[in-house]
Tab-separated table of all heavy atoms in Angstrom:
chain	number	residue	atom	x	y	z
A	1	MET	N	105.137	80.515	94.976
A	1	MET	CA	104.602	80.044	96.255
A	1	MET	C	103.162	80.520	96.399
A	1	MET	O	102.794	81.594	95.901
A	1	MET	CB	105.430	80.598	97.417
A	1	MET	CG	106.863	80.088	97.487
A	1	MET	SD	106.986	78.396	98.116
A	1	MET	CE	106.694	78.675	99.873
A	2	PRO	N	102.317	79.752	97.099
A	2	PRO	CA	100.979	80.270	97.405
A	2	PRO	C	101.098	81.457	98.345
A	2	PRO	O	101.817	81.400	99.350
A	2	PRO	CB	100.276	79.070	98.062
A	2	PRO	CG	101.361	78.151	98.488
A	2	PRO	CD	102.521	78.377	97.580
A	3	LEU	N	100.423	82.532	98.027
A	3	LEU	CA	100.551	83.757	98.814
A	3	LEU	C	100.090	83.574	100.256
A	3	LEU	O	100.599	84.237	101.163
A	3	LEU	CB	99.767	84.887	98.150
A	3	LEU	CG	100.375	85.440	96.850
A	3	LEU	CD1	99.438	86.455	96.222
A	3	LEU	CD2	101.741	86.064	97.106
A	4	PHE	N	99.158	82.656	100.484
A	4	PHE	CA	98.673	82.474	101.852
A	4	PHE	C	99.762	81.918	102.774
A	4	PHE	O	99.642	81.988	103.998
A	4	PHE	CB	97.444	81.555	101.882
A	4	PHE	CG	97.731	80.116	101.517
A	4	PHE	CD1	98.305	79.240	102.440
A	4	PHE	CD2	97.415	79.633	100.257
A	4	PHE	CE1	98.559	77.914	102.111
A	4	PHE	CE2	97.686	78.311	99.918
A	4	PHE	CZ	98.258	77.459	100.853
A	5	ALA	N	100.839	81.375	102.182
A	5	ALA	CA	101.917	80.788	102.982
A	5	ALA	C	102.939	81.829	103.427
A	5	ALA	O	103.932	81.488	104.083
A	5	ALA	CB	102.612	79.687	102.195
A	6	ALA	N	102.736	83.097	103.083
A	6	ALA	CA	103.690	84.148	103.445
A	6	ALA	C	103.850	84.241	104.952
A	6	ALA	O	102.899	84.049	105.715
A	6	ALA	CB	103.235	85.489	102.876
A	7	ASN	N	105.063	84.553	105.396
A	7	ASN	CA	105.324	84.735	106.822
A	7	ASN	C	104.785	86.068	107.327
A	7	ASN	O	104.475	86.210	108.514
A	7	ASN	CB	106.819	84.666	107.104
A	7	ASN	CG	107.420	83.323	106.735
A	7	ASN	OD1	108.054	83.186	105.696
A	7	ASN	ND2	107.207	82.330	107.573
A	8	GLN	N	104.688	87.041	106.425
A	8	GLN	CA	104.161	88.356	106.803
A	8	GLN	C	103.452	88.974	105.618
A	8	GLN	O	103.940	88.905	104.487
A	8	GLN	CB	105.296	89.268	107.272
A	8	GLN	CG	104.827	90.639	107.747
A	8	GLN	CD	105.974	91.534	108.164
A	8	GLN	OE1	107.138	91.184	107.981
A	8	GLN	NE2	105.672	92.704	108.715
A	9	ILE	N	102.297	89.569	105.863
A	9	ILE	CA	101.541	90.266	104.824
A	9	ILE	C	101.349	91.709	105.264
A	9	ILE	O	100.813	91.978	106.341
A	9	ILE	CB	100.172	89.601	104.570
A	9	ILE	CG1	100.364	88.142	104.148
A	9	ILE	CG2	99.393	90.371	103.495
A	9	ILE	CD1	99.060	87.374	103.986
A	10	ILE	N	101.825	92.627	104.439
A	10	ILE	CA	101.719	94.051	104.741
A	10	ILE	C	100.699	94.667	103.792
A	10	ILE	O	100.851	94.611	102.569
A	10	ILE	CB	103.074	94.751	104.581
A	10	ILE	CG1	104.116	94.101	105.508
A	10	ILE	CG2	102.953	96.241	104.877
A	10	ILE	CD1	105.513	94.621	105.288
A	11	GLY	N	99.663	95.275	104.329
A	11	GLY	CA	98.634	95.877	103.496
A	11	GLY	C	97.546	94.883	103.128
A	11	GLY	O	97.537	93.730	103.568
A	12	GLU	N	96.645	95.337	102.284
A	12	GLU	CA	95.513	94.518	101.863
A	12	GLU	C	95.271	94.699	100.369
A	12	GLU	O	95.748	95.658	99.749
A	12	GLU	CB	94.243	94.905	102.639
A	12	GLU	CG	94.332	94.683	104.136
A	12	GLU	CD	93.057	95.085	104.853
A	12	GLU	OE1	92.148	95.632	104.186
A	12	GLU	OE2	92.963	94.864	106.069
A	13	GLY	N	94.508	93.787	99.814
A	13	GLY	CA	94.092	93.909	98.423
A	13	GLY	C	95.220	93.664	97.444
A	13	GLY	O	96.246	93.052	97.771
A	14	PRO	N	95.056	94.161	96.209
A	14	PRO	CA	96.018	93.885	95.133
A	14	PRO	C	97.430	94.368	95.411
A	14	PRO	O	98.390	93.828	94.872
A	14	PRO	CB	95.409	94.627	93.933
A	14	PRO	CG	93.971	94.811	94.256
A	14	PRO	CD	93.913	94.963	95.742
A	15	THR	N	97.575	95.409	96.250
A	15	THR	CA	98.909	95.967	96.484
A	15	THR	C	99.569	95.398	97.744
A	15	THR	O	100.639	95.857	98.138
A	15	THR	CB	98.831	97.496	96.606
A	15	THR	OG1	97.963	97.839	97.698
A	15	THR	CG2	98.296	98.113	95.317
A	16	ALA	N	98.957	94.417	98.369
A	16	ALA	CA	99.535	93.825	99.576
A	16	ALA	C	100.908	93.229	99.278
A	16	ALA	O	101.150	92.687	98.199
A	16	ALA	CB	98.603	92.759	100.141
A	17	VAL	N	101.809	93.342	100.246
A	17	VAL	CA	103.164	92.807	100.110
A	17	VAL	C	103.257	91.515	100.912
A	17	VAL	O	102.986	91.499	102.120
A	17	VAL	CB	104.212	93.819	100.607
A	17	VAL	CG1	105.608	93.201	100.576
A	17	VAL	CG2	104.151	95.081	99.753
A	18	HIS	N	103.645	90.422	100.241
A	18	HIS	CA	103.750	89.110	100.875
A	18	HIS	C	105.224	88.758	101.028
A	18	HIS	O	105.935	88.593	100.035
A	18	HIS	CB	103.030	88.060	100.047
A	18	HIS	CG	101.549	88.273	99.929
A	18	HIS	ND1	101.004	89.229	99.097
A	18	HIS	CD2	100.512	87.672	100.565
A	18	HIS	CE1	99.681	89.196	99.215
A	18	HIS	NE2	99.356	88.270	100.091
A	19	LEU	N	105.664	88.672	102.274
A	19	LEU	CA	107.075	88.426	102.575
A	19	LEU	C	107.279	86.993	103.065
A	19	LEU	O	106.528	86.500	103.924
A	19	LEU	CB	107.566	89.405	103.633
A	19	LEU	CG	107.529	90.894	103.244
A	19	LEU	CD1	107.948	91.757	104.426
A	19	LEU	CD2	108.416	91.163	102.039
A	20	PHE	N	108.315	86.359	102.519
A	20	PHE	CA	108.676	84.997	102.906
A	20	PHE	C	110.066	85.024	103.537
A	20	PHE	O	110.987	85.646	103.011
A	20	PHE	CB	108.667	84.080	101.683
A	20	PHE	CG	107.295	83.780	101.155
A	20	PHE	CD1	106.574	84.747	100.450
A	20	PHE	CD2	106.706	82.543	101.362
A	20	PHE	CE1	105.305	84.477	99.962
A	20	PHE	CE2	105.437	82.257	100.874
A	20	PHE	CZ	104.736	83.226	100.170
A	21	GLU	N	110.208	84.338	104.649
A	21	GLU	CA	111.482	84.320	105.363
A	21	GLU	C	112.505	83.467	104.618
A	21	GLU	O	112.238	82.315	104.270
A	21	GLU	CB	111.275	83.779	106.778
A	21	GLU	CG	112.524	83.822	107.632
A	21	GLU	CD	112.265	83.377	109.052
A	21	GLU	OE1	111.083	83.417	109.476
A	21	GLU	OE2	113.228	82.986	109.732
A	22	VAL	N	113.675	84.053	104.380
A	22	VAL	CA	114.764	83.371	103.691
A	22	VAL	C	115.881	83.087	104.687
A	22	VAL	O	116.311	84.012	105.400
A	22	VAL	CB	115.319	84.233	102.534
A	22	VAL	CG1	116.436	83.501	101.806
A	22	VAL	CG2	114.222	84.600	101.566
A	23	PRO	N	116.377	81.865	104.786
A	23	PRO	CA	117.503	81.609	105.699
A	23	PRO	C	118.705	82.474	105.324
A	23	PRO	O	119.007	82.649	104.140
A	23	PRO	CB	117.798	80.119	105.476
A	23	PRO	CG	116.562	79.557	104.861
A	23	PRO	CD	115.945	80.657	104.072
A	24	LYS	N	119.377	83.012	106.317
A	24	LYS	CA	120.539	83.839	106.029
A	24	LYS	C	121.618	83.051	105.302
A	24	LYS	O	122.408	83.609	104.525
A	24	LYS	CB	121.081	84.445	107.320
A	24	LYS	CG	120.134	85.482	107.925
A	24	LYS	CD	120.712	86.097	109.193
A	24	LYS	CE	119.753	87.151	109.748
A	24	LYS	NZ	120.258	87.756	110.999
A	25	ALA	N	121.642	81.745	105.538
A	25	ALA	CA	122.627	80.903	104.859
A	25	ALA	C	122.390	80.846	103.359
A	25	ALA	O	123.291	80.485	102.595
A	25	ALA	CB	122.597	79.494	105.447
A	26	ALA	N	121.169	81.198	102.920
A	26	ALA	CA	120.852	81.166	101.493
A	26	ALA	C	121.378	82.385	100.757
A	26	ALA	O	121.358	82.434	99.532
A	26	ALA	CB	119.346	81.049	101.283
């Protein structure tokens, strides 16, 4: 996925964590 589409980004730079929301049904 393109990182800019993340629902939440924690931190900055190379070590930033990009979180994408997953349906609980998945």
Side-chain angles (χ1 to χ4, degrees):
M1 294 284 285
L3 288 174
F4 68 79
N7 298 102
Q8 183 182 7
I9 301 175
I10 302 173
E12 298 180 355
T15 59
V17 175
H18 296 76
L19 298 176
F20 289 74
E21 184 176 339
V22 181
K24 292 181 179 179

